[in-house]
PDB file of all heavy atoms in Angstrom:
ATOM      1  N   LYS Y   1      -4.578 -10.956  -6.271  1.00  0.00           N
ATOM      2  CA  LYS Y   1      -4.921 -11.949  -7.299  1.00  0.00           C
ATOM      3  C   LYS Y   1      -3.781 -12.865  -7.720  1.00  0.00           C
ATOM      4  O   LYS Y   1      -3.969 -13.686  -8.617  1.00  0.00           O
ATOM      5  CB  LYS Y   1      -5.475 -11.233  -8.537  1.00  0.00           C
ATOM      6  CG  LYS Y   1      -6.788 -10.539  -8.252  1.00  0.00           C
ATOM      7  CD  LYS Y   1      -7.346  -9.892  -9.486  1.00  0.00           C
ATOM      8  CE  LYS Y   1      -8.682  -9.249  -9.145  1.00  0.00           C
ATOM      9  NZ  LYS Y   1      -8.951  -8.050  -9.889  1.00  0.00           N
ATOM     10  N   ASP Y   2      -2.603 -12.721  -7.099  1.00  0.00           N
ATOM     11  CA  ASP Y   2      -1.509 -13.641  -7.436  1.00  0.00           C
ATOM     12  C   ASP Y   2      -1.931 -15.016  -6.924  1.00  0.00           C
ATOM     13  O   ASP Y   2      -2.109 -15.198  -5.717  1.00  0.00           O
ATOM     14  CB  ASP Y   2      -0.201 -13.170  -6.781  1.00  0.00           C
ATOM     15  CG  ASP Y   2       0.996 -13.973  -7.256  1.00  0.00           C
ATOM     16  OD1 ASP Y   2       0.850 -15.204  -7.497  1.00  0.00           O
ATOM     17  OD2 ASP Y   2       2.093 -13.394  -7.375  1.00  0.00           O
ATOM     18  N   PRO Y   3      -2.101 -15.992  -7.834  1.00  0.00           N
ATOM     19  CA  PRO Y   3      -2.634 -17.297  -7.414  1.00  0.00           C
ATOM     20  C   PRO Y   3      -1.716 -18.064  -6.449  1.00  0.00           C
ATOM     21  O   PRO Y   3      -2.154 -19.016  -5.807  1.00  0.00           O
ATOM     22  CB  PRO Y   3      -2.818 -18.058  -8.730  1.00  0.00           C
ATOM     23  CG  PRO Y   3      -1.923 -17.368  -9.704  1.00  0.00           C
ATOM     24  CD  PRO Y   3      -1.829 -15.938  -9.267  1.00  0.00           C
ATOM     25  N   ARG Y   4      -0.481 -17.641  -6.318  1.00  0.00           N
ATOM     26  CA  ARG Y   4       0.457 -18.318  -5.410  1.00  0.00           C
ATOM     27  C   ARG Y   4       0.242 -17.920  -3.951  1.00  0.00           C
ATOM     28  O   ARG Y   4       0.793 -18.568  -3.058  1.00  0.00           O
ATOM     29  CB  ARG Y   4       1.902 -17.998  -5.810  1.00  0.00           C
ATOM     30  CG  ARG Y   4       2.245 -18.463  -7.226  1.00  0.00           C
ATOM     31  CD  ARG Y   4       3.565 -17.900  -7.693  1.00  0.00           C
ATOM     32  NE  ARG Y   4       3.459 -16.453  -7.935  1.00  0.00           N
ATOM     33  CZ  ARG Y   4       4.442 -15.707  -8.405  1.00  0.00           C
ATOM     34  NH1 ARG Y   4       5.615 -16.248  -8.684  1.00  0.00           N
ATOM     35  NH2 ARG Y   4       4.268 -14.406  -8.603  1.00  0.00           N
ATOM     36  N   PHE Y   5      -0.521 -16.840  -3.704  1.00  0.00           N
ATOM     37  CA  PHE Y   5      -0.631 -16.286  -2.357  1.00  0.00           C
ATOM     38  C   PHE Y   5      -2.076 -15.908  -2.039  1.00  0.00           C
ATOM     39  O   PHE Y   5      -2.859 -15.620  -2.928  1.00  0.00           O
ATOM     40  CB  PHE Y   5       0.234 -15.013  -2.232  1.00  0.00           C
ATOM     41  CG  PHE Y   5       1.666 -15.221  -2.607  1.00  0.00           C
ATOM     42  CD1 PHE Y   5       2.132 -14.823  -3.859  1.00  0.00           C
ATOM     43  CD2 PHE Y   5       2.559 -15.809  -1.728  1.00  0.00           C
ATOM     44  CE1 PHE Y   5       3.459 -15.013  -4.221  1.00  0.00           C
ATOM     45  CE2 PHE Y   5       3.888 -15.998  -2.081  1.00  0.00           C
ATOM     46  CZ  PHE Y   5       4.341 -15.597  -3.320  1.00  0.00           C
ATOM     47  N   SER Y   6      -2.364 -15.849  -0.744  1.00  0.00           N
ATOM     48  CA  SER Y   6      -3.658 -15.319  -0.312  1.00  0.00           C
ATOM     49  C   SER Y   6      -3.603 -13.793  -0.409  1.00  0.00           C
ATOM     50  O   SER Y   6      -2.514 -13.206  -0.412  1.00  0.00           O
ATOM     51  CB  SER Y   6      -3.947 -15.753   1.129  1.00  0.00           C
ATOM     52  OG  SER Y   6      -2.934 -15.265   1.992  1.00  0.00           O
ATOM     53  N   PRO Y   7      -4.760 -13.142  -0.480  1.00  0.00           N
ATOM     54  CA  PRO Y   7      -4.753 -11.667  -0.546  1.00  0.00           C
ATOM     55  C   PRO Y   7      -4.059 -11.055   0.676  1.00  0.00           C
ATOM     56  O   PRO Y   7      -4.133 -11.594   1.783  1.00  0.00           O
ATOM     57  CB  PRO Y   7      -6.243 -11.313  -0.567  1.00  0.00           C
ATOM     58  CG  PRO Y   7      -6.913 -12.520  -1.140  1.00  0.00           C
ATOM     59  CD  PRO Y   7      -6.110 -13.689  -0.620  1.00  0.00           C
ATOM     60  N   ILE Y   8      -3.403  -9.948   0.460  1.00  0.00           N
ATOM     61  CA  ILE Y   8      -2.701  -9.253   1.545  1.00  0.00           C
ATOM     62  C   ILE Y   8      -3.724  -8.613   2.467  1.00  0.00           C
ATOM     63  O   ILE Y   8      -4.655  -7.950   2.014  1.00  0.00           O
ATOM     64  CB  ILE Y   8      -1.725  -8.216   0.955  1.00  0.00           C
ATOM     65  CG1 ILE Y   8      -0.548  -8.966   0.324  1.00  0.00           C
ATOM     66  CG2 ILE Y   8      -1.253  -7.220   2.018  1.00  0.00           C
ATOM     67  CD1 ILE Y   8       0.427  -8.105  -0.415  1.00  0.00           C
ATOM     68  N   GLY Y   9      -3.508  -8.829   3.767  1.00  0.00           N
ATOM     69  CA  GLY Y   9      -4.410  -8.271   4.764  1.00  0.00           C
ATOM     70  C   GLY Y   9      -3.856  -6.993   5.365  1.00  0.00           C
ATOM     71  O   GLY Y   9      -2.647  -6.723   5.300  1.00  0.00           O
ATOM     72  N   GLU Y  10      -4.737  -6.234   5.981  1.00  0.00           N
ATOM     73  CA  GLU Y  10      -4.373  -4.946   6.572  1.00  0.00           C
ATOM     74  C   GLU Y  10      -3.255  -5.093   7.600  1.00  0.00           C
ATOM     75  O   GLU Y  10      -2.384  -4.227   7.711  1.00  0.00           O
ATOM     76  CB  GLU Y  10      -5.620  -4.331   7.212  1.00  0.00           C
ATOM     77  CG  GLU Y  10      -5.503  -2.883   7.511  1.00  0.00           C
ATOM     78  CD  GLU Y  10      -6.817  -2.264   7.970  1.00  0.00           C
ATOM     79  OE1 GLU Y  10      -7.893  -2.868   7.781  1.00  0.00           O
ATOM     80  OE2 GLU Y  10      -6.733  -1.165   8.526  1.00  0.00           O
ATOM     81  N   GLU Y  11      -3.247  -6.202   8.327  1.00  0.00           N
ATOM     82  CA  GLU Y  11      -2.240  -6.422   9.373  1.00  0.00           C
ATOM     83  C   GLU Y  11      -0.829  -6.612   8.806  1.00  0.00           C
ATOM     84  O   GLU Y  11       0.157  -6.508   9.545  1.00  0.00           O
ATOM     85  CB  GLU Y  11      -2.628  -7.627  10.245  1.00  0.00           C
ATOM     86  CG  GLU Y  11      -2.518  -8.988   9.557  1.00  0.00           C
ATOM     87  CD  GLU Y  11      -3.627  -9.313   8.534  1.00  0.00           C
ATOM     88  OE1 GLU Y  11      -4.607  -8.529   8.415  1.00  0.00           O
ATOM     89  OE2 GLU Y  11      -3.494 -10.338   7.851  1.00  0.00           O
ATOM     90  N   GLU Y  12      -0.704  -6.858   7.521  1.00  0.00           N
ATOM     91  CA  GLU Y  12       0.609  -7.067   6.897  1.00  0.00           C
ATOM     92  C   GLU Y  12       1.229  -5.793   6.332  1.00  0.00           C
ATOM     93  O   GLU Y  12       2.407  -5.785   5.978  1.00  0.00           O
ATOM     94  CB  GLU Y  12       0.485  -8.064   5.726  1.00  0.00           C
ATOM     95  CG  GLU Y  12       0.023  -9.443   6.113  1.00  0.00           C
ATOM     96  CD  GLU Y  12      -0.145 -10.297   4.885  1.00  0.00           C
ATOM     97  OE1 GLU Y  12       0.869 -10.882   4.437  1.00  0.00           O
ATOM     98  OE2 GLU Y  12      -1.266 -10.371   4.343  1.00  0.00           O
ATOM     99  N   LEU Y  13       0.476  -4.737   6.209  1.00  0.00           N
ATOM    100  CA  LEU Y  13       0.902  -3.562   5.443  1.00  0.00           C
ATOM    101  C   LEU Y  13       2.236  -2.984   5.909  1.00  0.00           C
ATOM    102  O   LEU Y  13       3.043  -2.566   5.081  1.00  0.00           O
ATOM    103  CB  LEU Y  13      -0.188  -2.493   5.457  1.00  0.00           C
ATOM    104  CG  LEU Y  13      -1.490  -2.896   4.757  1.00  0.00           C
ATOM    105  CD1 LEU Y  13      -2.540  -1.809   4.924  1.00  0.00           C
ATOM    106  CD2 LEU Y  13      -1.258  -3.228   3.291  1.00  0.00           C
ATOM    107  N   ASP Y  14       2.505  -2.958   7.201  1.00  0.00           N
ATOM    108  CA  ASP Y  14       3.759  -2.395   7.719  1.00  0.00           C
ATOM    109  C   ASP Y  14       4.972  -3.269   7.433  1.00  0.00           C
ATOM    110  O   ASP Y  14       6.097  -2.832   7.622  1.00  0.00           O
ATOM    111  CB  ASP Y  14       3.662  -2.154   9.230  1.00  0.00           C
ATOM    112  CG  ASP Y  14       2.765  -0.972   9.551  1.00  0.00           C
ATOM    113  OD1 ASP Y  14       2.503  -0.162   8.642  1.00  0.00           O
ATOM    114  OD2 ASP Y  14       2.332  -0.872  10.711  1.00  0.00           O
ATOM    115  N   LYS Y  15       4.745  -4.498   6.987  1.00  0.00           N
ATOM    116  CA  LYS Y  15       5.850  -5.433   6.766  1.00  0.00           C
ATOM    117  C   LYS Y  15       6.232  -5.573   5.291  1.00  0.00           C
ATOM    118  O   LYS Y  15       7.089  -6.371   4.949  1.00  0.00           O
ATOM    119  CB  LYS Y  15       5.469  -6.813   7.317  1.00  0.00           C
ATOM    120  CG  LYS Y  15       5.175  -6.822   8.802  1.00  0.00           C
ATOM    121  CD  LYS Y  15       4.758  -8.211   9.247  1.00  0.00           C
ATOM    122  CE  LYS Y  15       4.433  -8.227  10.721  1.00  0.00           C
ATOM    123  NZ  LYS Y  15       3.004  -8.125  10.988  1.00  0.00           N
ATOM    124  N   LEU Y  16       5.594  -4.795   4.418  1.00  0.00           N
ATOM    125  CA  LEU Y  16       5.780  -4.984   2.974  1.00  0.00           C
ATOM    126  C   LEU Y  16       6.845  -4.061   2.397  1.00  0.00           C
ATOM    127  O   LEU Y  16       6.947  -2.900   2.777  1.00  0.00           O
ATOM    128  CB  LEU Y  16       4.462  -4.728   2.241  1.00  0.00           C
ATOM    129  CG  LEU Y  16       3.264  -5.558   2.675  1.00  0.00           C
ATOM    130  CD1 LEU Y  16       2.033  -5.147   1.875  1.00  0.00           C
ATOM    131  CD2 LEU Y  16       3.532  -7.047   2.542  1.00  0.00           C
ATOM    132  N   THR Y  17       7.635  -4.612   1.484  1.00  0.00           N
ATOM    133  CA  THR Y  17       8.496  -3.796   0.633  1.00  0.00           C
ATOM    134  C   THR Y  17       7.984  -3.979  -0.802  1.00  0.00           C
ATOM    135  O   THR Y  17       7.568  -5.072  -1.191  1.00  0.00           O
ATOM    136  CB  THR Y  17       9.983  -4.184   0.729  1.00  0.00           C
ATOM    137  OG1 THR Y  17      10.117  -5.577   0.477  1.00  0.00           O
ATOM    138  CG2 THR Y  17      10.560  -3.860   2.087  1.00  0.00           C
ATOM    139  N   ILE Y  18       8.011  -2.897  -1.554  1.00  0.00           N
ATOM    140  CA  ILE Y  18       7.389  -2.883  -2.874  1.00  0.00           C
ATOM    141  C   ILE Y  18       8.384  -2.346  -3.893  1.00  0.00           C
ATOM    142  O   ILE Y  18       9.120  -1.399  -3.608  1.00  0.00           O
ATOM    143  CB  ILE Y  18       6.123  -2.001  -2.844  1.00  0.00           C
ATOM    144  CG1 ILE Y  18       5.114  -2.597  -1.854  1.00  0.00           C
ATOM    145  CG2 ILE Y  18       5.504  -1.869  -4.236  1.00  0.00           C
ATOM    146  CD1 ILE Y  18       4.008  -1.659  -1.461  1.00  0.00           C
ATOM    147  N   SER Y  19       8.391  -2.965  -5.069  1.00  0.00           N
ATOM    148  CA  SER Y  19       9.145  -2.405  -6.187  1.00  0.00           C
ATOM    149  C   SER Y  19       8.235  -2.378  -7.408  1.00  0.00           C
ATOM    150  O   SER Y  19       7.280  -3.154  -7.505  1.00  0.00           O
ATOM    151  CB  SER Y  19      10.426  -3.203  -6.468  1.00  0.00           C
ATOM    152  OG  SER Y  19      10.126  -4.532  -6.835  1.00  0.00           O
ATOM    153  N   VAL Y  20       8.528  -1.459  -8.305  1.00  0.00           N
ATOM    154  CA  VAL Y  20       7.756  -1.297  -9.535  1.00  0.00           C
ATOM    155  C   VAL Y  20       8.744  -1.347 -10.699  1.00  0.00           C
ATOM    156  O   VAL Y  20       9.704  -0.569 -10.734  1.00  0.00           O
ATOM    157  CB  VAL Y  20       6.986   0.050  -9.539  1.00  0.00           C
ATOM    158  CG1 VAL Y  20       6.280   0.256 -10.881  1.00  0.00           C
ATOM    159  CG2 VAL Y  20       5.991   0.108  -8.381  1.00  0.00           C
ATOM    160  N   ASP Y  21       8.501  -2.262 -11.628  1.00  0.00           N
ATOM    161  CA  ASP Y  21       9.323  -2.383 -12.831  1.00  0.00           C
ATOM    162  C   ASP Y  21       8.530  -1.858 -14.024  1.00  0.00           C
ATOM    163  O   ASP Y  21       7.433  -2.338 -14.293  1.00  0.00           O
ATOM    164  CB  ASP Y  21       9.695  -3.845 -13.092  1.00  0.00           C
ATOM    165  CG  ASP Y  21      10.720  -4.365 -12.118  1.00  0.00           C
ATOM    166  OD1 ASP Y  21      11.838  -3.845 -12.123  1.00  0.00           O
ATOM    167  OD2 ASP Y  21      10.400  -5.297 -11.345  1.00  0.00           O
ATOM    168  N   VAL Y  22       9.102  -0.881 -14.719  1.00  0.00           N
ATOM    169  CA  VAL Y  22       8.507  -0.357 -15.948  1.00  0.00           C
ATOM    170  C   VAL Y  22       9.271  -0.997 -17.099  1.00  0.00           C
ATOM    171  O   VAL Y  22      10.492  -0.837 -17.213  1.00  0.00           O
ATOM    172  CB  VAL Y  22       8.587   1.183 -16.000  1.00  0.00           C
ATOM    173  CG1 VAL Y  22       7.979   1.696 -17.305  1.00  0.00           C
ATOM    174  CG2 VAL Y  22       7.876   1.802 -14.788  1.00  0.00           C
ATOM    175  N   LEU Y  23       8.546  -1.742 -17.920  1.00  0.00           N
ATOM    176  CA  LEU Y  23       9.175  -2.515 -18.986  1.00  0.00           C
ATOM    177  C   LEU Y  23       9.460  -1.665 -20.212  1.00  0.00           C
ATOM    178  O   LEU Y  23       8.637  -0.842 -20.606  1.00  0.00           O
ATOM    179  CB  LEU Y  23       8.284  -3.692 -19.395  1.00  0.00           C
ATOM    180  CG  LEU Y  23       8.335  -4.941 -18.511  1.00  0.00           C
ATOM    181  CD1 LEU Y  23       7.943  -4.661 -17.078  1.00  0.00           C
ATOM    182  CD2 LEU Y  23       7.470  -6.040 -19.096  1.00  0.00           C
ATOM    183  N   GLY Y  24      10.623  -1.916 -20.792  1.00  0.00           N
ATOM    184  CA  GLY Y  24      10.967  -1.317 -22.070  1.00  0.00           C
ATOM    185  C   GLY Y  24      10.365  -2.132 -23.196  1.00  0.00           C
ATOM    186  O   GLY Y  24       9.641  -3.106 -22.977  1.00  0.00           O
ATOM    187  N   ASP Y  25      10.678  -1.766 -24.428  1.00  0.00           N
ATOM    188  CA  ASP Y  25      10.149  -2.462 -25.598  1.00  0.00           C
ATOM    189  C   ASP Y  25      10.670  -3.884 -25.675  1.00  0.00           C
ATOM    190  O   ASP Y  25      11.821  -4.164 -25.312  1.00  0.00           O
ATOM    191  CB  ASP Y  25      10.540  -1.713 -26.880  1.00  0.00           C
ATOM    192  CG  ASP Y  25       9.849  -0.367 -26.986  1.00  0.00           C
ATOM    193  OD1 ASP Y  25       8.760  -0.201 -26.394  1.00  0.00           O
ATOM    194  OD2 ASP Y  25      10.406   0.521 -27.650  1.00  0.00           O
ATOM    195  N   MET Y  26       9.827  -4.782 -26.170  1.00  0.00           N
ATOM    196  CA  MET Y  26      10.205  -6.170 -26.404  1.00  0.00           C
ATOM    197  C   MET Y  26      11.033  -6.254 -27.684  1.00  0.00           C
ATOM    198  O   MET Y  26      10.748  -5.566 -28.658  1.00  0.00           O
ATOM    199  CB  MET Y  26       8.966  -7.050 -26.580  1.00  0.00           C
ATOM    200  CG  MET Y  26       8.081  -7.131 -25.366  1.00  0.00           C
ATOM    201  SD  MET Y  26       8.858  -8.085 -24.058  1.00  0.00           S
ATOM    202  CE  MET Y  26       8.037  -7.360 -22.654  1.00  0.00           C
TER     203      MET Y  26
END
């Protein structure tokens, strides 16, 4: 749903690196 990009397809899965940011208090 990122409007800057098309949805990720199955053929791309092996090429992805992922990070997760857990936000602290504002």
Side-chain angles (χ1 to χ4, degrees):
K1 295 182 178 147
D2 188 325
R4 299 169 290 183
F5 305 101
S6 60
I8 288 174
E10 196 172 344
E11 70 285 353
E12 298 176 85
L13 295 176
D14 288 342
K15 300 178 181 98
L16 304 178
T17 53
I18 298 165
S19 62
V20 175
D21 287 296
V22 179
L23 279 59
D25 292 334
M26 296 289 154

